[in-house]
Amino acid sequence: MTTKLFGEPVRRREDPRLLTGRGLYLDDLGAGALAAAFVRSPHAHARIRDIDVSAAIDVDGLLAIYTWEDLPGALAQPLPLLIPHPALTHGRTAHPLAREIVRHVGEPVVMVVARDRYLAEDACDLIRVDYEILKPVVGVEEATQSAQLVHADVPGNVGAHLVQEVPSASGRAVREIIESAPHTLAFRLDIERSASMPLEGRGVHARWDADDRSLRVHSSTQTSTSVRMAIAAKLGLPLPKVEVIAPDVGGGFGVKIVHPWPEEILVPWAAMTLGREVKWTEDRREHFTSSAHERAQVQFVRVGFDGDGRVLGLDVNILHDHGAYTPYGIIVPIITSTQLLGPYKIGAYRVEFSSIYTNTVQVTPYRGAGRPQAVFCMERTMDHIARHLGLDRTAVRAANFIQPDEFPYDQGLIFQDGRPLIYDSGDYPESLRMLKEMIGWDSFPEEKARAAAEGRTIGIGVGCYVEGTGVGPYEGGHVQVTSDGRVHVSTGLTSQGQGHETVFAQIAATELGVPLERISVVTGDTRRFGYAVGTFASRAAVMSGNAIALACRKVRDKALRVAADALEADPRDLEIVDGEVRVVGAPGASIPLATVAVLSNPLRYAFDEEAARATQFAGAGSSFDRPPVAPGEEPGLEGRDYYSPIRSTFASGMHAAIVETDPLTAEIRILRYAVVHDCGNLINPMIVEGQIHGGVAQGVGGALYERMVYDGHGQLLNASFMDFLMPYATEVPAVETAHLQTPSPLNPLGIKGAGEAGVIPVSAVIASAIEDAEGLVIDRMPISPSELFDLRRAAG
Amino acid sequence: MHEITLTVNGVVQQVAVPGRRLLSDCLRHDLGLTGTHVGCEHGVCGCCTVLLDGEPVRSCLVFAVGADGHEITTVEGLAAPDGTLSPVQRAFAECHGLQCGFCTPGFLCTVTALLRQNPAPTEEEVLEGVSGNLCRCTGYQNIVKSVHRAAEIMAEDR
Ligand code: FES
Ligand code: FES
């Protein structure tokens, strides 16, 4: 069938627009809008004594200056805590503009609106804020020991504390099992802060229509529907009077799921107050110090195992750095603690985390969301066990794998969606077999020896992960066939460059039997679809993809019903091919879908040719004993449906890398990188591979370069692209990929998510490879050449 | 305010700008050519790269007055007047050399200049050529592939 496009590497439909400069990103909108800019705290912890704006008010083109005291009603309240959790006993969020205390460098204190950004910044520079500097708390260990508090009413700086324990089958406690295991190891791991760093920062543009009392907001968000609800709630507007649109968005990687950002409600409020269009476009320094970071954790591991490397008991204690606030709850440490087990069947597991406040930028999910830390922990553990027993690292992993016939497999934990952590499908032994073959695992010792003979140091590393993808609660899809035969698909979740327009069109084309060119897709526009959750956690394809497929099936059913009437056939004998409804096996008998759309909508007025064919006077011979729209039917050929899963799907994968370290300079170079990836059925392999490539690149950044360097005063020392190192083309290896497809039994399309997979195991893999090359233990990431150099020296 | 004249994508444009106005802001906000993107405003990401008299420059590091009297090509000027995509643009579409597309205009301008100077670059030369531009989405290998493919298309077209 020509329209079976599911599974094909279809070229992206977004590209022509983006390649010619016709993309519409946030800052491309609102020419002539007023510009907002912010005075942000230069201190990590301080009390605001006074704000003096007198020098700023003469700035040419200035329209307004706002401080917390100017904010009305709900806007003056703290920002919402989006995902409460019983373990988050001391959740704290910021005010949109600081009220009395600032808790990290970059916290917004004053908003200025002026004719353009230059002038708004001029005014910001002239505003004097008098601060009483308080002692900051930086770093989780200091935070747990310090007498200093980030929030005066949060004892010990501990915002949340959660323990989950899965005892052994015999019911014995984990710690007891570890004590009595044939082998026991204990060690500590450190992972530093990184950040999403999309190349387009955040931005908001708002237009208030005073006559209609309605607000239209564009935001570079990962969740337009929720921003809309937040704006309506904070500004006291009826929901139908607020529309939020996510235009083309230049990457998100997690940071743009937080909402509302202070600016997302302040800018619309300023637009309402001033009766003018207002826009704010974040600059890069603002992004570093006032959006969100992730990753930083300290982990204490105790593991007990047998002589084959089988893990009998695992006990992990995590200190999680939450930064100054918890707007997004404790999703990150929950994911770390529950995804830690990966593809393994662990005898007994106990995990405990404390989420700690520090005077640094808040921590919210960044691509992978807590999983890179989890996988680092588990895979380091596997490598430690292998080294201790003198076994092959892949053999230890294989000894612990959940077997293909054991799905669905219940890990006995509660996952981030509040539901049991039950893996749906997978084939881990096959995945490892494929990976070992691809990278040449078994023959690597000879390769290593050959390199050594040439004076080169190389090492190989491996890492496995399982990723909960496609988390609920739901997404929806709407599909409409218009009388010109075009198909209009909309879904509420947003796109930040993943290619949703293309994959959703592929799904619709396949389900409806319509050529791709006739399908248009709109995402993230609340005018088109108002119910949605958002784009995060590798959920878009699973959630909206299935919802769109279900909506298409409704449309298809109706189309066959209407066409069956017209063709005097049984709907069961009909198929849709190339936009035509045909009688199977009778090529002559067919009717275009466009005509079906016309027939489905009886009209009174003839405004064009198609409408003329649908007026009440056109259907001569139709039955006079039933209404033009039959009971239970609706006019038009359209359908809406939702997909709401009982629980997450579980994608999985394994990565391997070969690295070379320079004997003198300790420079680390990745020679090869291989990925076996299982995200169930592939909608578009080209796009999935692109997601893997991008993920691995971010993982390489996290493994070797990216870290947020805070000094003891809570100053971020590297808040620019000059100093926060993200990899360029010269640092990222080509990624070799292979796909394994174990379809998910949980959804109609059998798919699992693929957005984050690439990034998750990279730090673990690179650590494993460096360890193999150097014969040293690597227990903290990222690792720089100078750190490797120091490790070598310490080892003598 | 300074009255300046820029020839942008072949069109002569006169514009009045304050001395401190960045070329990137002038192109985007004064001339409405929003294809040129700003990712850092400190000269590192390369998103804002345009061709100034054929040479790639970071428009966030140039004052608009400094470009007075010069020729500028932005991403909007890469395709043929009839809309046919340039070989570089075609190659990026073919090889999935973009995801969010935010870095893309900078890459397209950089690569256009690169291939003009060196129509058949080696792998090393391609890496070197694009190593001043950040992309947070693609992981680069498809961008590198796109550059080779663009070179191929240009050779075929000749
Ligand atoms: S915006 Fe000019 S180099 Fe980043
Ligand atoms: S495609 Fe998104 S930054 Fe390059």
Side-chain angles (χ1 to χ4, degrees):
Chain A
M1 207 165 47
T2 53
T3 38
K4 165 92 178 70
L5 290 166
F6 190 105
E8 296 298 316
V10 170
R11 279 211 212 152
R12 299 202 330 163
R13 347 174 69 214
E14 346 354 43
D15 291 355
R17 173 174 93 239
L18 304 179
L19 285 164
T20 49
R22 285 184 291 114
L24 267 189
Y25 300 86
L26 197 285
D27 189 53
D28 304 349
L29 305 162
L34 300 175
F38 293 84
V39 176
R40 298 180 185 271
S41 170
H43 305 295
H45 200 187
R47 185 183 311 278
I48 299 168
R49 277 196 293 234
D50 182 49
I51 300 174
D52 177 4
V53 302
S54 54
I57 48 183
D58 293 331
V59 168
D60 168 47
L62 178 80
L63 275 101
I65 299 177
Y66 303 108
T67 67
W68 175 80
E69 292 188 345
D70 301 313
L71 304 181
L75 205 55
Q77 300 297 311
L79 294 163
L81 200 164
L82 290 172
I83 311 177
H85 189 282
L88 181 58
T89 49
H90 297 80
R92 294 292 180 270
T93 57
H95 291 80
L97 292 172
R99 176 189 180 179
E100 199 182 350
I101 306 268
V102 288
R103 293 190 178 83
H104 66 86
V105 171
E107 191 163 344
V109 179
V110 183
M111 174 167 66
V112 168
V113 182
R115 204 173 57 233
D116 75 19
R117 178 73 189 237
Y118 290 70
L119 302 172
E121 289 187 8
D122 285 347
C124 286
D125 282 348
L126 294 170
I127 292 170
R128 295 281 162 261
V129 183
D130 180 18
Y131 294 99
E132 174 193 341
I133 297 174
L134 306 173
K135 195 173 157 8
V137 177
V138 184
V140 275
E141 284 169 299
E142 187 193 324
T144 50
Q145 288 146 21
S146 172
Q148 202 60 43
L149 297 178
V150 176
H151 298 273
D153 56 350
V154 179
N157 293 314
V158 178
H161 181 248
L162 183 63
V163 181
Q164 291 203 64
E165 175 155 356
V166 190
S168 73
S170 66
R172 280 173 72 209
V174 176
R175 286 179 170 166
E176 201 185 308
I177 289 178
I178 295 173
E179 292 319 315
S180 59
H183 304 272
T184 306
L185 287 172
F187 47 93
R188 168 196 168 134
L189 302 167
D190 285 80
I191 302 107
E192 294 199 32
R193 274 190 182 221
S194 186
S196 300
M197 270 323 131
L199 285 191
E200 183 196 23
R202 297 172 298 145
V204 190
H205 168 252
R207 172 190 289 189
W208 171 247
D209 182 331
D211 297 333
D212 189 46
R213 297 203 59 74
S214 66
L215 189 63
R216 198 179 72 198
V217 179
H218 284 81
S219 178
S220 62
T221 178
Q222 292 176 222
T223 174
S224 53
T225 48
S226 295
V227 169
R228 178 194 192 200
M229 289 196 255
I231 290 173
K234 286 289 184 183
L235 303 188
L237 292 169
L239 190 67
K241 290 291 189 186
V242 182
E243 298 295 358
V244 177
I245 301 140
D248 284 321
V249 173
F253 315 115
V255 69
K256 293 176 183 170
I257 192 66
V258 180
H259 65 274
W261 285 107
E263 300 86 356
E264 277 175 326
I265 46 178
L266 291 170
V267 169
W269 173 67
M272 276 177 79
T273 308
L274 299 170
R276 302 272 302 272
E277 274 180 63
V278 181
K279 182 166 85 175
W280 167 71
T281 306
E282 182 181 58
D283 74 22
R284 189 50 59 181
R285 189 177 159 78
E286 283 185 295
H287 188 78
F288 271 97
T289 62
S290 58
S291 62
H293 302 160
E294 210 229 275
R295 303 291 196 245
Q297 283 181 1
V298 181
Q299 304 167 337
F300 300 91
V301 184
R302 259 182 91 70
V303 61
F305 49 98
D306 69 14
D308 297 327
R310 255 190 299 269
V311 177
L312 306 173
L314 178 67
D315 183 8
V316 183
N317 189 357
I318 299 166
L319 295 180
H320 175 77
D321 181 353
H322 226 130
Y325 300 105
T326 47
Y328 211 73
I330 48 173
I331 286 293
V332 174
I334 289 178
I335 294 177
T336 304
S337 58
T338 52
Q339 294 265 266
L340 206 139
L341 299 177
Y344 309 115
K345 212 163 31 177
I346 298 299
Y349 176 52
R350 180 182 188 281
V351 65
E352 170 174 3
F353 70 76
S354 303
S355 198
I356 314 289
Y357 286 112
T358 57
N359 288 113
T360 56
V361 175
Q362 64 196 17
V363 165
T364 66
Y366 158 33
R367 198 177 199 177
R371 295 179 188 88
Q373 302 95 309
V375 170
F376 189 66
C377 181
M378 192 73 230
E379 295 301 291
R380 296 282 66 218
T381 302
M382 288 293 160
D383 285 354
H384 271 290
I385 293 171
R387 186 178 330 99
H388 184 82
L389 296 175
L391 294 174
D392 180 277
R393 286 166 287 167
T394 58
V396 171
R397 286 166 169 87
N400 288 285
F401 279 156
I402 295 162
Q403 295 304 309
D405 58 2
E406 292 177 297
F407 294 98
Y409 187 84
D410 188 347
Q411 285 283 25
L413 295 160
I414 297 299
F415 191 42
Q416 61 150 317
D417 53 5
R419 300 191 163 226
L421 186 77
I422 301 174
Y423 295 175
D424 50 347
S425 61
D427 188 343
Y428 310 139
E430 174 60 11
S431 181
L432 184 62
R433 191 198 62 72
M434 289 167 69
L435 183 74
K436 285 175 71 172
E437 192 179 303
M438 202 176 5
I439 197 84
W441 182 272
D442 290 330
S443 59
F444 184 75
E446 290 107 75
E447 200 180 325
K448 188 175 176 177
R450 266 199 308 278
E454 296 165 14
R456 296 169 52 220
T457 315
I458 63 172
I460 194 167
V462 63
C464 312
Y465 67 92
V466 169
E467 178 197 3
T469 55
V471 296
Y474 78 90
E475 289 297 336
H478 179 257
V479 177
Q480 182 184 21
V481 184
T482 41
S483 54
D484 52 4
R486 290 180 195 276
V487 179
H488 308 269
V489 176
S490 56
T491 186
L493 61 59
T494 56
S495 176
Q496 303 88 49
Q498 297 94 334
H500 294 162
E501 248 176 273
T502 305
V503 293
F504 294 156
Q506 282 179 263
I507 290 171
T510 305
E511 293 290 339
L512 283 178
V514 168
L516 203 65
E517 309 76 67
R518 273 192 236 165
I519 298 173
S520 66
V521 176
V522 171
T523 63
D525 184 338
T526 64
R527 295 172 301 184
R528 288 289 300 276
F529 206 95
Y531 291 93
V533 182
T535 300
F536 59 94
S538 303
R539 68 191 296 280
V542 181
M543 304 303 298
S544 280
N546 278 294
I548 289 166
L550 293 172
C552 285
R553 288 175 194 184
K554 277 191 175 169
V555 171
R556 190 171 182 279
D557 285 349
K558 180 164 187 187
L560 296 187
R561 233 168 30 238
V562 174
D565 247 6
L567 294 167
E568 292 176 350
D570 187 316
R572 281 168 303 187
D573 295 336
L574 300 180
E575 60 177 0
I576 313 179
V577 179
D578 259 346
E580 301 257 327
V581 188
R582 304 205 291 223
V583 181
V584 180
S590 75
I591 175 172
L593 203 54
T595 309
V596 177
V598 173
L599 294 178
S600 71
N601 183 18
L603 291 175
R604 179 157 189 90
Y605 303 115
F607 44 81
D608 65 11
E609 235 168 86
E610 277 91 32
R613 287 192 288 137
T615 62
Q616 59 198 325
F617 299 105
S622 67
S623 168
F624 293 113
D625 54 14
R626 59 176 198 210
V629 178
E633 287 286 13
E634 288 173 6
L637 188 50
E638 65 181 307
R640 174 190 303 266
D641 212 337
Y642 293 87
Y643 172 66
S644 181
I646 48 164
R647 67 179 87 91
S648 293
T649 48
F650 286 86
S652 66
M654 301 184 187
H655 295 195
I658 297 175
V659 304
E660 175 162 3
T661 56
D662 189 290
L664 283 177
T665 63
E667 196 185 330
I668 301 155
R669 210 151 59 89
I670 302 168
L671 301 181
R672 282 186 62 199
Y673 203 97
V675 173
V676 175
H677 183 253
D678 179 1
C679 60
N681 293 333
L682 297 171
I683 307 169
N684 183 326
M686 178 189 83
I687 285 179
V688 170
E689 275 167 28
Q691 289 294 316
I692 296 172
H693 296 170
V696 170
Q698 284 182 316
V700 167
L704 298 177
Y705 310 106
E706 296 169 13
R707 72 181 84 209
M708 295 291 170
V709 184
Y710 277 99
D711 70 7
H713 304 292
Q715 292 291 341
L716 183 56
L717 300 181
N718 60 341
S720 83
F721 280 174
M722 207 81 86
D723 307 297
F724 174 81
L725 304 180
M726 290 192 295
Y728 287 94
T730 33
E731 281 79 45
V732 180
V735 179
E736 305 156 48
T737 47
H739 301 287
L740 177 68
Q741 300 188 49
T742 63
S744 173
L746 296 180
N747 63 68
L749 298 177
I751 54 182
K752 305 171 179 179
E756 300 162 285
V759 82
I760 292 171
V762 184
S763 279
V765 173
I766 302 295
S768 182
I770 296 174
E771 214 168 75
D772 182 48
E774 296 276 328
L776 294 165
V777 174
I778 307 294
D779 53 13
R780 55 168 59 223
M781 290 300 260
I783 181 163
S784 67
S786 62
E787 284 160 335
L788 178 57
F789 190 82
D790 289 344
L791 281 179
R792 280 179 185 167
R793 256 216 311 240
Chain B
M1 285 298 215
H2 304 263
E3 291 284 342
I4 59 169
T5 306
L6 308 174
T7 307
V8 187
N9 303 327
V11 179
V12 178
Q13 304 256 22
Q14 279 178 336
V15 52
V17 289
R20 62 179 176 170
R21 194 137 181 95
L22 301 177
L23 178 59
S24 50
D25 285 340
C26 175
L27 292 169
R28 292 179 49 75
H29 302 307
D30 298 332
L31 303 180
L33 294 167
T34 53
T36 300
H37 296 152
V38 172
C40 70
E41 264 184 314
H42 50 251
V44 184
C45 71
C47 290
C48 65
T49 305
V50 298
L51 303 178
L52 185 73
D53 299 331
E55 290 293 318
V57 300
R58 286 157 199 249
S59 59
C60 75
L61 294 185
V62 175
F63 288 121
V65 285
D68 188 16
H70 291 271
E71 287 210 18
I72 293 162
T73 306
T74 68
V75 66
E76 287 94 341
L78 294 181
D82 69 353
T84 308
L85 297 185
S86 76
V88 179
Q89 288 170 313
R90 258 144 64 201
F92 270 71
E94 256 181 56
C95 304
H96 190 28
L98 64 154
Q99 289 183 22
C100 78
F102 197 78
C103 68
T104 308
F107 271 99
L108 294 175
C109 289
T110 304
V111 172
T112 301
L114 169 73
L115 293 179
R116 218 176 266 156
Q117 275 172 13
N118 181 355
T122 63
E123 180 76 8
E124 284 295 299
E125 287 166 340
V126 170
L127 282 178
E128 176 73 29
V130 298
S131 68
N133 291 59
L134 280 170
C135 173
R136 195 56 165 165
C137 299
T138 66
Y140 302 109
Q141 81 195 70
N142 285 347
I143 291 179
V144 170
K145 207 159 123 194
S146 305
V147 182
H148 289 300
R149 177 68 191 128
E152 229 172 80
I153 297 176
M154 285 162 71
E156 284 162 15
D157 284 0
R158 254 192 298 273

